[in-house]
């Protein structure tokens, strides 16, 4: 046997035979090790401290949650920065969002309806923030700032505040076409109350002095031959604007963000990687092809689709199949309302009815060659 | 905050609480505790009072309420036990008893709180000048069940736990008045023995009067692979002589119930006119009063108490205008798969004052393959093979073991106590003594070895055995001794169950569930998934349809509803559209039921038929 032949043979042998129930085998291959996973939870120190691993994380991936519990971004740097720890540290510092509350104490003075911001030199220095930067951030709220030593007193702007935004035209309602004219933007003088001051002081605390909103606690980590930055947060778009960061080498565990920024193919790969990482961490070995099947199924429609009621299982063709899974009555009623026809394509449907299942031996048919028929 | 201010107010005085309620303050709490305890020991305070001083919070708690768990200890003072040899001698001579010891302040009961202030020595040799108490006996740290186990200090703790759980399942004599009792299901061992290896607690609890087990000669070796994985080989001849034999007593009861309208059940011999008459054969054991005769041999489904009930509906009035007495049969019969002898019959009055009959069935349960045995070391096993005595290995003096246990059961479980008991039991039976296996103070291996040597046996407990089948000497020496084995109440005869054909449920036409209903074993969702994964489509159909609830229903090709066969006209007809274009369709009954239930949701499901191909 030549090398070519043997390779051909091995490819042929590793191909899946027709009508093999790959989905069930995939579910079992991931589900069975999953049962062992629950009990063993490992703990790590560092940024990735409270990142869910194991079963909770697996559920998170498969359910395609909007935000993972603890989103993390790994950002690799462009060549000029990658080898230099100091440069990398600087980039990290530039990226991390610093809030007013990180560098100052914010106290609301309800008697005089103003907010005192007590600037802390020590904290600011550690964060690389100057007094002026804080002041600038505060100007967003009100121009009325009184500075005494390291205390800035902010008096809420009495002036105009937009209260009414143009109402969106109510579409679809017939005859209302005339009423869709936008109301003019009305401005009204805002009365300053104690309640308002309290609300505002919270906003002041959360105001960003420096860095990118949505990138927190960035740290430099020594990777293989280079430094990279790991941060908590979700703002990938914001992060790649930094010139030091190589936009082609940014990774986050936030699958929805990957899909948004890098596209569905990247998301598919990320799903595979994330599931694989969860398994590897617990030293469970699942064949990559099972995971790939899941990732494919979740992404074929061009969007990350969860597995379950609102995703894959909820979109089965057969009424009986859906009714057998969850929300039986809902599916039956809807099917009757729309006069749906059950084509008996799926596995569950055929089991309910009492027919052979269209997988494996149940799908094989004999076709006779008939000379007369040609 | 409250605590702090109060503490300030109290000027750092000790706060005194009675049963958790604040009652006052004292300048020197530590001293007060000491004095309270002294007075208790001098019998000036009730011995049920416990005092606890919290040094950190400077709080003193006096506890007198009910429901505290308390435990007796010997009082230790200045590094000396109050239980002196003098007192011990008086105790031995029966001059004084336990109550005297409590009164004398030698023994005192501590609760969980006061224990916090105490340093309790485990044994006398351990006492230092800091100790305040000493355990009455070092084996006291075990409870009632574990305390009766031999040599627990030589076993691994999980095995002790298991042994405790298993002794509770052992069959023996549960109560000495068992003949007078009508318990639902009980077992009585035929020839119970007291163990040759006992603990002091076993004696103290007088468990020898209610023993549950027998001393068996146990060889630790393999036997043709029939004792792999915790199986036990049992000497059939020993079983024939009554080894581990128990009798099961089961009580069946029935009552003459009253019905609204003044009607009543009647315990009598049913006549063939009764609706549901089971045939003469079923009533053959009954006397004229409709109740079985004691000592009659009854088989499954035989009637024990004949009973008739009034009809369920009252409308059957005959042509002649008289109400015809059509009674229903509602006799009490033996459950399927059971048989035995009628032990005794009790006619009495039920809780609501009705006539009630209780029938106690007795059946002998001889050990058989599949029954469960266990030693007192968490070493349980199932009988794997019954071997006639002539095929059992034998020693030069002709001793054959009753049980052959696999040696693989020992090392990984670390039940050295089992081996010690083997040795102790052997020494006990040779020396005519009962070995003491109390935790931490039992007889030692050396003592047993001495006895064995004196009796002419090897002191290791090993023996040269000969193969019972070939007669050849077995190459290695085999450890053999006497171990107390218990029969546990998991008997195969009460559990074994098979079904090929059998009853089905009325609603779904699927097989019933459970042994009592002769049911099938569920082929569940996950099992189904496995067959799907394997692609065994035909097998799924067989399991879920052919072997379950297959029906052939007529389906109307016109409107798609389920049609019926009209016997009057001998025609298949659709009751909805009167069409005669009806085809038989094979389906699961559960599906037919589903269609019916969907109809109840006001949805009309139609079956569209297509040519197969």
């Amino acid at each position: 046997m030549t090398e070519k032949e043997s390779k051909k043979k091995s490819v042929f042998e590793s191909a899946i035979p027709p009508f093999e129930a790959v989905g069930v085998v995939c579910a079992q291959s991931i589900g069975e090790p999953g049962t062992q996973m629950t009990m063993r939870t490992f703990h790590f120190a560092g940024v990735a401290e409270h990142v869910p691993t194991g079963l909770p994380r697996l559920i998170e991936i498969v359910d395609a949650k909007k935000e993972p519990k603890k989103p993390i971004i790994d950002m690799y740097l462009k060549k000029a920065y990658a080898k230099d720890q100091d440069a990398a540290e600087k980039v990290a510092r530039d990226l991390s969002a610093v809030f007013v509350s990180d560098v100052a104490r914010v106290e609301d003075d309800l008697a005089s309806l103003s907010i005192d911001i007590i600037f802390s030199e020590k904290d600011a220095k550690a964060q690389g923030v100057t007094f002026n930067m804080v002041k600038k951030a505060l100007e967003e709220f009100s121009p009325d700032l009184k500075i005494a030593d390291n205390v800035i007193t902010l008096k809420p702007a009495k002036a105009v505040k937009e209260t009414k935004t143009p109402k969106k035209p109510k579409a679809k309602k017939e005859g209302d076409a005339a009423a869709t004219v936008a109301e003019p933007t009305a401005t009204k003088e805002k009365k300053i109350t104690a309640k308002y001051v309290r609300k505002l002081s919270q906003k002041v605390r959360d105001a960003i002095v420096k860095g990118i909103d949505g990138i927190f606690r960035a740290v430099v980590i020594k990777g293989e031959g280079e430094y990279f930055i790991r941060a908590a947060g979700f703002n990938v778009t914001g992060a790649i604007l930094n010139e030091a960061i190589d936009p082609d080498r940014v990774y986050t565990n936030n699958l929805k963000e990957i899909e948004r920024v890098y596209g569905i193919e990247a998301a598919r790969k990320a799903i595979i990687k994330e599931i694989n990482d969860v398994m590897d961490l617990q030293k469970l070995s699942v064949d990559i092809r099972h995971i790939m099947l899941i990732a494919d199924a979740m992404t074929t429609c061009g969007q990350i689709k969860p597995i379950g009621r609102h995703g894959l299982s909820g979109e089965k063709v057969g009424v009986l199949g859906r009714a057998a899974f969850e929300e039986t009555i809902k599916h039956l009623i809807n099917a009757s309302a729309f006069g749906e026809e059950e084509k008996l394509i799926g596995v569950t449907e055929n089991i309910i009815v009492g027919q052979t299942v269209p997988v494996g031996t149940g799908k094989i048919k004999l076709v006779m060659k008939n000379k007369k028929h040609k | 905050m409250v605590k702090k201010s109060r503490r300030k107010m109290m000027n750092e005085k000790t706060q005194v609480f009675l049963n958790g309620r604040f009652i006052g303050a004292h300048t020197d709490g530590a001293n007060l505790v000491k004095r309270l305890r002294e007075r208790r020991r001098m019998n000036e305070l009730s011995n049920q009072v416990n005092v606890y001083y919290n040094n950190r919070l400077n709080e003193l708690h006096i506890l007198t309420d009910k429901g505290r768990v308390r435990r007796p200890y010997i009082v230790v003072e200045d590094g000396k036990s109050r239980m002196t040899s003098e007192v011990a001698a008086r105790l031995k001579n029966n001059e004084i008893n336990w109550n005297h010891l409590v009164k004398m302040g030698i023994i005192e009961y501590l609760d969980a709180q006061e224990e916090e202030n105490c340093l309790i020595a485990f044994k006398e040799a351990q006492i230092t000048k800091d100790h305040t108490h000493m355990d009455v006996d070092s084996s006291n740290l075990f409870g009632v069940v574990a305390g009766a186990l031999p040599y627990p200090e030589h076993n691994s703790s999980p095995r002790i736990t298991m042994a405790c759980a298993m002794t509770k399942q052992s069959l023996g004599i549960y109560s000495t008045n068992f003949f007078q009792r009508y318990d639902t299901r009980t077992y009585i061992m035929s020839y119970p023995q007291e163990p040759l290896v006992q603990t002091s607690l076993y004696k103290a609890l007088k468990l020898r009067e209610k023993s549950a087990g027998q001393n068996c000669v146990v060889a630790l070796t393999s036997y043709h692979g029939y004792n792999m994985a915790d199986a036990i080989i049992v000497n059939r001849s020993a079983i024939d002589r009554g080894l581990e034999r128990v009798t099961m007593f089961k009580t069946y009861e029935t009552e003459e119930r009253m019905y609204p309208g003044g009607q009543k059940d009647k315990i009598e011999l049913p006549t063939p006119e009764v609706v549901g008459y089971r045939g003469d054969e079923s009533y053959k054991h009954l006397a004229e009063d409709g109740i079985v005769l004691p000592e009659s041999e009854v088989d499954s489904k035989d009637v024990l108490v004949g009973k008739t009930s009034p009809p369920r509906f009252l409308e059957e009035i005959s042509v002649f205008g008289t109400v015809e007495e059509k009674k229903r049969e509602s006799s009490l019969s033996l459950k399927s798969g059971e048989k035995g002898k009628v032990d005794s019959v009790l006619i009495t009055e039920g809780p609501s004052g009705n006539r009630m009959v209780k029938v106690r069935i007795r059946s002998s349960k001889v050990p058989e393959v599949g029954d469960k045995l266990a030693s007192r070391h968490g070493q349980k096993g199932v009988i794997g093979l019954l071997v006639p005595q002539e095929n059992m290995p034998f020693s030069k003096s002709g001793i054959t073991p009753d049980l052959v246990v696999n040696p693989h059961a020992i090392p990984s479980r670390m039940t050295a106590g089992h081996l010690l008991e083997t040795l102790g039991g052997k020494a006990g039976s040779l020396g005519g003594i009962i070995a003491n296996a109390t935790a931490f103070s039992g007889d030692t291996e050396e003592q047993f070895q001495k006895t064995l040597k004196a009796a002419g046996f090897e002191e290791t407990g090993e023996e040269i055995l000969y193969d019972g089948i070939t007669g050849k000497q077995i190459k290695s020496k085999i450890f053999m001794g006497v171990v107390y084995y218990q029969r546990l109440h998991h008997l195969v005869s009460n559990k074994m169950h098979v079904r090929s054909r059998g009853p089905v449920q009325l609603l779904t036409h699927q097989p019933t569930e459970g042994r009592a209903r002769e049911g099938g074993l569920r082929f569940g969702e996950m099992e189904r998934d496995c067959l799907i994964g394997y692609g065994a489509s035909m097998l799924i159909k067989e399991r879920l349809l052919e072997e379950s609830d297959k029906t052939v229903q007529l389906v109307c090709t016109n409107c798609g509803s389920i049609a019926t066969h009209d016997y009057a006209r001998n025609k298949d007809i659709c009751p909805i559209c009167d069409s005669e274009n009806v085809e038989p369709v094979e389906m699961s009954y559960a599906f037919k039921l589903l269609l019916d239930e969907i109809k109840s949701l006001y949805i009309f499901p139609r079956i569209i038929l297509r040519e197969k191909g």
Side-chain angles (χ1 to χ4, degrees):
Chain A
M1 213 189 289
T2 63
E3 197 190 340
K4 198 181 167 189
E5 274 171 345
S6 77
K7 273 189 179 158
K8 203 173 163 185
K9 190 171 168 253
S10 95
V11 167
F12 188 76
E13 276 173 358
S14 52
I16 289 195
F19 311 126
E20 177 95 13
V22 280
V24 172
V25 175
C26 165
Q28 290 181 338
S29 304
I30 294 174
E32 197 278 332
T35 58
Q36 302 170 30
M37 203 155 56
T38 341
M39 286 161 278
R40 283 185 275 154
T41 326
F42 301 105
H43 299 279
F44 299 95
V47 189
E49 198 176 2
H50 297 297
V51 177
T53 55
L55 200 66
R57 175 64 184 148
L58 205 61
I59 293 167
E60 210 171 75
I61 299 165
V62 159
D63 282 352
K65 290 258 177 68
K66 247 189 199 151
E67 292 285 335
K69 262 189 192 152
K70 294 278 166 178
I72 281 181
I73 312 178
D74 282 347
M75 290 158 283
Y76 286 83
L77 302 168
K78 284 185 182 151
K79 263 189 190 140
Y81 303 84
K83 303 277 177 191
D84 184 352
Q85 189 176 359
D86 292 337
E89 296 275 11
K90 196 184 169 295
V91 176
R93 234 177 299 137
D94 286 348
L95 284 173
S96 311
V98 175
F99 299 105
V100 170
S101 57
D102 288 341
V103 292
R105 211 169 72 237
V106 179
E107 284 174 359
D108 30 329
D109 183 352
L110 296 181
S112 61
L113 294 177
S114 62
I115 302 163
D116 291 341
I117 295 103
I118 303 141
F119 183 73
S120 157
E121 196 77 45
K122 204 177 116 203
D123 291 342
K125 220 170 193 179
Q127 303 277 6
V129 172
T130 60
F131 188 75
N132 275 338
M133 285 164 91
V134 178
K135 201 178 137 199
K136 210 175 166 192
L138 293 175
E139 273 163 4
E140 296 269 314
F141 294 95
S142 167
D144 189 2
L145 298 176
K146 276 191 198 106
I147 298 159
D149 215 8
N150 62 346
V151 180
I152 307 172
T153 311
L154 186 146
K155 257 226 168 304
K158 215 172 227 171
V160 284
K161 184 129 203 264
E162 279 177 34
T163 45
K164 272 184 190 168
T165 44
K167 267 186 189 162
K168 274 183 189 167
K170 279 176 195 166
K172 278 179 188 173
K173 247 191 176 177
E174 286 167 50
D176 267 12
T180 54
V181 179
E183 284 175 44
T185 312
T187 54
K188 201 175 145 193
E189 192 145 301
K190 175 83 188 168
K191 208 188 162 201
I192 295 159
T193 58
K195 201 177 163 190
Y196 175 70
V197 171
R198 289 197 120 180
K199 259 189 189 164
L200 190 70
S201 80
Q202 193 53 49
K203 275 185 194 160
V204 168
R205 270 186 205 108
D206 293 343
I208 284 170
V209 182
K210 195 190 112 190
I212 297 161
D213 193 8
I215 303 273
F216 314 108
R217 299 194 304 278
V219 269
V220 173
I221 291 173
K222 195 172 184 185
E224 280 163 35
E226 64 177 322
Y227 293 97
F228 70 94
I229 295 166
R230 172 167 290 175
F234 47 86
N235 194 350
V236 173
T237 357
I240 51 182
L241 289 179
N242 189 305
E243 54 156 21
I245 284 159
D246 185 350
D248 295 337
R249 294 197 297 154
V250 173
Y251 182 76
T252 173
N253 60 357
N254 188 343
L255 299 170
K256 275 272 157 83
E257 185 76 2
I258 293 186
E259 185 205 337
R260 197 173 65 79
V261 181
Y262 292 96
I264 193 73
E265 280 302 320
R268 188 191 78 97
K269 279 206 142 183
I271 292 173
I272 298 172
K273 183 185 146 37
E274 285 296 317
I275 297 180
N276 219 11
D277 285 355
V278 170
M279 293 296 177
D280 279 351
L281 195 67
Q282 310 252 343
K283 305 223 166 66
L284 301 170
S285 57
V286 174
D287 194 299
I288 188 94
R289 276 158 279 214
H290 297 306
I291 299 168
M292 285 164 86
L293 183 68
I294 284 192
D296 281 348
M298 285 175 72
T299 52
T300 33
C301 73
Q303 250 182 14
I304 298 180
K305 198 164 60 172
I307 292 170
R309 205 190 327 176
H310 304 293
L312 281 175
S313 305
E315 288 167 20
K316 280 190 193 171
V317 245
V319 198
L320 291 180
R322 270 179 283 130
F325 178 58
E326 266 168 13
E327 300 174 310
T328 313
I329 307 284
K330 181 185 130 189
H331 286 298
L332 291 179
I333 302 275
N334 281 343
S336 80
F338 293 105
E340 253 183 84
E341 190 178 332
E342 169 66 67
K343 298 265 193 209
L344 299 180
I345 293 165
V347 172
T348 359
E349 292 93 310
N350 278 292
I351 287 183
I352 292 171
V353 168
Q355 287 184 343
T356 48
V357 177
V359 286
T361 51
K363 193 97 186 194
I364 306 287
K365 299 262 157 64
L366 265 186
V367 180
M368 293 271 276
K369 242 188 193 171
N370 194 331
K371 271 181 189 166
K372 276 181 206 164
H373 260 281
K374 230 185 183 179
Chain B
M1 289 306 268
V2 177
K3 241 177 196 167
K4 219 177 199 173
S5 61
R6 192 165 67 187
R7 167 118 7 114
K8 240 179 209 168
M9 206 171 64
M10 299 310 295
N11 215 2
E12 297 301 324
K13 278 180 181 171
T14 304
Q15 296 169 72
V16 183
F17 295 84
L18 177 66
N19 292 332
R21 200 174 297 133
F22 178 74
I23 50 164
H26 192 268
T27 38
D28 191 357
N31 195 33
L32 182 62
V33 174
K34 222 174 163 184
R35 274 164 49 209
L36 278 169
R37 284 181 188 154
E38 263 166 29
R39 292 186 63 182
R40 180 180 63 197
R41 283 169 198 174
M42 272 152 40
N43 244 339
E44 286 171 29
L45 266 175
S46 163
N47 67 57
Q48 292 188 13
V49 175
N50 284 105
V51 201
Y52 158 64
Y53 178 59
N54 188 325
N55 200 25
R56 201 165 52 81
L57 297 175
N58 200 13
E59 283 178 358
L60 195 149
H61 289 264
I62 302 163
L63 299 136
T64 65
D65 32 0
K66 60 183 175 182
R68 288 167 298 132
V69 181
R70 293 153 79 243
R71 212 160 178 274
Y73 291 103
I74 294 169
V75 179
V76 173
E77 261 178 338
D78 309 321
K80 265 182 203 145
S81 164
R82 276 200 184 181
M83 187 72 168
T84 53
S85 50
E86 189 187 318
V87 178
R90 284 180 69 196
L91 200 62
K92 216 167 191 177
N93 294 336
N94 278 333
E95 284 169 42
I96 49 170
N97 61 24
W98 180 270
N99 291 334
H100 292 125
L101 294 179
V102 176
K103 278 201 180 135
M104 287 155 77
I106 294 171
I107 279 178
E108 133 179 296
Y109 285 88
L110 299 185
D111 70 351
Q113 295 262 279
E114 191 171 337
E115 255 178 17
E116 295 292 316
N117 291 149
C118 302
L119 184 63
I120 300 157
F122 175 60
K123 52 186 176 184
E124 191 145 20
Q126 229 176 32
I127 294 177
T128 66
K129 66 176 191 339
D130 293 329
H131 281 93
T132 58
H133 294 84
M134 187 183 89
D135 253 318
V136 175
D137 187 277
S138 3
S139 79
N140 255 19
L141 83 109
F142 292 106
V144 173
V145 186
L149 300 178
Y151 294 119
E153 80 275 30
H154 291 277
N155 286 334
S156 63
S157 69
R159 290 287 141 185
I160 300 174
T161 317
M162 291 166 79
C164 290
M166 282 186 284
T167 36
K168 285 185 254 172
Q169 300 177 6
S170 61
L171 308 179
I173 290 174
Y174 67 101
S175 156
T176 39
N177 68 341
F178 63 90
F179 272 128
Q180 267 68 255
R181 298 173 64 109
Y182 284 82
D183 298 291
T184 337
R185 195 164 81 175
T186 52
Y187 298 88
I188 294 293
M189 182 170 256
S190 300
Y191 305 102
Q193 295 174 349
E194 66 171 301
L196 282 167
V197 181
Q198 292 180 3
T199 67
S200 54
L201 193 73
Y202 191 93
K203 285 170 194 146
L205 293 171
K206 296 186 176 152
L207 283 176
R208 50 179 308 213
E209 286 166 24
K210 296 190 188 100
S211 319
Q214 282 172 339
N215 298 294
C216 302
V217 179
V218 180
L220 211 57
T221 179
S222 64
Y223 189 90
H224 298 274
Y226 282 94
N227 59 2
M228 292 196 294
D230 276 331
I232 297 170
I233 307 290
V234 187
N235 190 328
R236 166 170 278 145
S237 316
I239 283 176
D240 292 343
R241 286 175 219 121
L243 185 82
E244 302 286 356
R245 183 170 298 199
V246 297
T247 307
M248 181 171 83
F249 292 97
K250 219 172 163 186
T251 306
Y252 285 78
E253 58 175 60
T254 189
E255 196 187 5
E256 281 184 345
R257 274 190 57 205
M258 302 266 273
Y259 295 93
Q263 287 167 303
K264 225 177 160 189
D265 287 338
K266 193 161 187 234
I267 290 171
E268 61 181 351
L269 197 63
T271 50
E273 290 86 60
V274 170
V275 179
Y277 187 72
R278 301 191 199 182
D280 297 339
E281 187 66 9
S282 301
Y283 306 102
K284 63 183 174 194
H285 299 298
L286 304 189
E288 306 85 74
D289 60 354
I291 302 170
V292 265
L293 287 164
E295 292 305 316
S296 49
E297 188 113 32
V298 284
D299 214 326
S300 57
K301 292 191 175 158
D302 280 350
V303 172
L304 300 174
V305 179
K307 196 174 77 174
T308 54
S309 303
R312 245 172 266 201
F313 307 103
L314 265 176
E315 65 238 90
E316 292 161 40
I317 299 170
S318 75
V319 206
F320 308 105
T322 53
V323 179
E324 204 170 305
E325 278 271 303
K326 272 231 163 172
K327 287 192 207 157
R328 267 183 314 126
E329 142 80 20
S330 57
S331 296
L332 174 75
S333 56
L334 210 63
K335 280 185 185 160
S336 70
E338 287 181 9
K339 56 178 181 179
K341 271 196 171 185
V342 177
D343 190 63
S344 72
V345 173
L346 178 76
I347 301 169
T348 175
E349 202 172 70
S352 43
N354 300 321
R355 205 159 91 101
M356 184 187 223
V357 177
K358 289 188 174 192
V359 180
R360 190 166 64 198
I361 307 293
R362 142 172 58 88
S363 56
S364 179
K365 297 283 181 188
V366 182
E368 58 181 318
V369 172
D371 281 353
K372 195 176 178 187
L373 299 176
S375 77
R376 291 174 294 167
H377 307 270
Q379 288 286 5
K380 60 179 170 215
V382 154
I383 300 178
L385 184 70
L386 301 180
V387 179
Q389 182 161 21
E390 54 270 28
N391 289 344
M392 281 298 237
F394 57 91
S395 73
K396 65 176 176 190
S397 54
I399 296 170
T400 52
D402 298 318
L403 265 45
V404 182
V405 172
N406 200 306
H408 291 296
I410 307 294
S412 59
R413 279 113 191 228
M414 297 182 285
T415 54
H418 190 273
L419 303 178
L420 255 167
E421 194 199 331
T422 315
L423 214 59
K426 194 173 188 177
S429 47
L430 291 168
I433 44 153
I434 280 172
N436 174 19
T438 312
F440 308 109
S441 59
D443 294 343
T444 59
E445 190 186 347
E446 288 72 33
Q447 281 169 275
F448 298 145
Q449 285 173 341
K450 231 183 238 171
T451 322
L452 285 176
K453 206 172 183 185
F457 279 77
E458 267 194 69
E459 48 181 16
T460 55
E462 289 173 324
E463 282 185 48
I464 295 169
L465 292 189
Y466 299 86
D467 189 315
I469 298 168
T470 63
K472 281 182 184 162
Q473 184 185 323
I474 296 169
K475 272 183 187 162
S476 57
K477 287 180 187 172
I478 281 153
F479 186 65
M480 191 156 89
V482 178
V483 185
Y484 194 66
Y485 260 82
Q486 300 157 320
R487 179 128 180 247
L488 308 187
H489 71 196
H490 302 282
L491 313 181
V492 256
S493 59
N494 293 335
K495 287 188 171 177
M496 72 99 119
H497 171 54
V498 284
R499 168 185 171 129
S500 51
R501 291 182 263 112
V504 291
Q505 279 163 15
L506 196 66
L507 182 70
T508 60
H509 288 199
Q510 287 169 357
T512 51
E513 201 188 321
R515 191 178 107 100
R517 272 163 287 164
E518 234 188 291
L521 295 175
R522 186 184 153 89
F523 189 84
E525 212 172 334
M526 290 172 93
E527 289 76 16
R528 182 207 71 158
D529 287 347
C530 288
L531 289 194
I532 295 171
Y534 194 66
S537 201
M538 306 301 159
L539 184 55
I540 302 175
K541 199 188 159 206
E542 184 177 295
R543 285 287 106 198
L544 268 37
L545 186 73
E546 245 96 7
E547 305 278 73
S548 177
D549 59 349
K550 180 181 168 180
T551 59
V552 174
Q553 295 288 330
L554 301 169
V555 175
C556 171
T557 49
N558 185 35
C559 71
S561 54
I562 303 278
T564 51
H565 180 78
D566 186 341
Y567 281 93
R569 287 189 282 166
N570 196 23
K571 257 178 196 167
D572 295 338
I573 209 153
C574 171
I576 309 260
C577 67
D578 282 338
S579 161
E580 286 177 24
N581 295 327
V582 161
E583 296 290 337
V585 177
E586 181 185 280
M587 63 175 77
S588 73
Y589 190 82
F591 178 60
K592 196 242 155 192
L593 194 70
L594 175 72
L595 294 179
D596 293 342
E597 291 204 11
I598 287 176
K599 280 175 210 155
S600 78
L601 282 177
Y602 226 69
I603 299 169
F604 182 34
R606 295 168 190 273
I607 300 171
I608 305 161
L609 297 180
R610 189 157 41 85
E611 208 59 52
K612 207 176 181 182

